[in-house]
Amino acid sequence: MQKDLHDFLQLYHNFIPARSSLCQLLERFDGNPRLILQHNVATLRAAGLDQKTISRIRVPRNRQVDADLEWAQRAGNHLVCYNDHHFPELLRQIP
């Protein structure tokens, strides 16, 4: 789960401010952020991403991801990703 969360957060930080596009992309790749990060440029372009977005998601955001993961380790804090069964269904429906 930690690796999945790490991959999701990498994408999350690279899709600011186009997070609705991230949700659509995750749906296209069965909710698996690792698949998106590992696919080649041709596959990502076929999924509708432009070169600027592809280049952006290839840049690691480890400092931001590490800060998020550290925050999540504190008592009472939780990160709920789009592909998590705890993610609210009504939020998934927002375009």
Side-chain angles (χ1 to χ4, degrees):
M1 177 61 175
Q2 187 75 4
K3 180 61 177 159
D4 290 341
L5 182 56
H6 185 275
D7 292 342
F8 178 85
L9 290 169
Q10 283 287 355
L11 289 174
Y12 177 83
H13 285 293
N14 281 302
F15 268 81
I16 298 171
R19 294 211 173 106
S20 63
S21 298
L22 172 57
C23 293
Q24 293 168 354
L25 189 62
L26 282 166
E27 286 179 2
R28 189 170 185 135
F29 285 89
D30 296 323
N32 189 333
R34 186 172 302 158
L35 286 177
I36 298 167
L37 292 170
Q38 292 178 345
H39 266 296
N40 61 35
V41 171
T43 302
L44 295 174
R45 288 193 68 99
L49 297 180
D50 59 29
Q51 188 58 49
K52 182 179 177 182
T53 303
I54 293 169
S55 296
R56 195 171 59 232
I57 67 173
R58 299 282 191 213
V59 175
R61 306 284 183 206
N62 292 327
R63 187 171 18 162
Q64 293 157 311
V65 170
D66 289 345
D68 291 343
L69 293 173
E70 183 179 317
W71 177 88
Q73 295 298 315
R74 294 184 201 138
N77 293 347
H78 305 279
L79 291 172
V80 181
C81 299
Y82 183 78
N83 59 348
D84 189 305
H85 69 277
H86 291 106
F87 192 88
E89 186 58 39
L90 289 175
L91 287 178
R92 277 186 218 281
Q93 296 173 16
I94 297 174

